[in-house]
């Protein structure tokens, strides 16, 4: 996988192609089409985090494929290409959103498991790892909210508040509180008052 430093125009061209597939394709196979372009890209140049992210976003109809791409990217970062550092939550959020929008218990639980796995990844020795933010947590909270699962929403919020206190951080914000309030509002739970 030795590519020259002059690959930038080729990488940009492939990324534009991937972006066009993601934004313009309306068929359910756009994720597979984007992945075939990513495979072709690997033959000619080194894909970037952006390349993988666009493919994940194209796979919203197939969250398991988006998830596979995320963990392939993380694996490549550790074993093949240390320059593939995910510095934005946009990459991970694409996968969580793909699962969350499925609207069932299994997908909400899967989104939460991925979030927990990403937290472990972040806590590992890799200090340049993914930085989950309030939007990241709100995606998972919204997945449960759509199901009326206020206990799960509140558990995520409570854990985040506890983690913030331990780490002297302030990642819990109005987005997360509003998500919890919305969960109660749509829950039809008698305790919602």
């Amino acid at each position: 996988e030795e590519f020259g430093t002059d690959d930038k125009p080729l990488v940009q061209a492939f990324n534009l192609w991937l972006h066009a597939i993601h934004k313009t394709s309306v068929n359910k196979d756009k994720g597979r089409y984007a992945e075939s372009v990513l495979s072709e890209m690997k033959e000619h140049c080194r894909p970037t985090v952006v390349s993988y992210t666009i493919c994940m976003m194209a796979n919203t109809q197939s969250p398991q494929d988006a998830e596979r791409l995320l963990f392939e990217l993380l694996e490549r970062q550790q074993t093949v290409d240390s320059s593939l550092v995910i510095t934005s939550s946009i990459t991970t959020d694409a996968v969580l959103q793909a699962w969350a929008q499925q609207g069932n218990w299994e997908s909400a639980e899967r989104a939460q498991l991925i979030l927990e796995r990403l937290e472990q990844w972040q806590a590992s020795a890799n200090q340049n790892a993914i930085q989950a933010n309030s939007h990241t947590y709100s995606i998972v909270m919204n997945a449960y909210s759509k199901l009326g699962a206020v206990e799960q929403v509140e558990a995520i919020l409570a854990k985040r508040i506890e983690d913030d206190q331990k780490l002297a951080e302030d990642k819990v914000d109005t987005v997360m509180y509003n998500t919890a309030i919305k969960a109660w509002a749509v829950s039809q739970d008698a305790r919602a008052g």
Side-chain angles (χ1 to χ4, degrees):
E1 279 202 25
E2 285 299 316
F3 297 107
T5 56
D6 58 345
D7 289 342
K8 190 173 182 178
L10 190 55
V11 170
Q12 289 175 333
F14 272 105
N15 284 347
L16 285 171
W17 188 6
L18 289 167
H19 185 73
I21 293 166
H22 165 59
K23 288 294 187 182
T24 60
S25 183
V26 292
N27 68 36
K28 289 186 175 187
D29 291 331
K30 72 178 178 178
R32 280 191 219 135
Y33 183 33
E35 285 194 60
S36 70
V37 171
L38 182 67
S39 292
E40 185 175 337
M41 182 180 191
K42 289 175 186 175
E43 294 173 17
H44 301 284
C45 58
R46 183 177 294 128
T48 63
V49 171
V50 171
S51 312
Y52 278 92
T53 302
I54 297 168
C55 281
M56 289 176 221
M57 295 169 109
N59 270 304
T60 56
Q61 297 298 315
S62 179
Q64 58 274 31
D65 290 333
E67 179 182 345
R68 178 183 41 74
L69 284 167
L70 173 63
F71 289 105
E72 175 186 319
L73 170 61
L74 294 172
E75 181 68 26
R76 286 180 66 86
Q77 175 190 347
Q78 282 198 327
T79 60
V80 178
D81 186 358
S82 61
S83 71
L84 288 171
V85 177
I86 301 172
T87 57
S88 169
S89 65
I90 293 170
T91 302
T92 56
D93 289 358
V95 176
L96 295 174
Q97 190 64 44
W99 278 111
Q101 75 183 18
Q102 300 302 307
N104 59 54
W105 275 102
E106 295 82 22
S107 58
E109 289 171 341
R110 188 69 194 161
Q112 185 171 5
L113 286 171
I114 293 168
L115 179 58
E116 290 167 1
R117 189 170 170 194
L118 293 171
E119 288 172 330
Q120 292 168 355
W121 189 276
Q122 185 177 347
S124 71
N126 187 354
Q127 296 302 314
N128 294 324
I130 306 125
Q131 297 295 317
N133 59 29
S134 62
H135 183 260
T136 306
Y137 289 94
S138 292
I139 291 170
V140 179
M141 291 169 68
N142 273 317
Y144 283 117
S145 176
K146 291 175 185 175
L147 302 169
V150 292
E151 289 83 9
Q152 284 82 357
V153 172
E154 285 204 349
I156 294 168
L157 179 61
K159 182 183 180 309
R160 196 60 234 155
I161 291 170
E162 181 183 322
D163 289 349
D164 277 4
Q165 290 171 346
K166 284 180 189 174
L167 302 172
E169 294 179 344
D170 192 21
K171 289 188 180 179
V172 176
D173 65 4
T174 56
V175 173
M176 292 183 73
Y177 285 111
N178 285 338
T179 303
I181 291 167
K182 179 182 144 194
W184 278 104
V186 299
S187 72
Q188 300 179 0
D189 189 303
R191 299 172 292 160

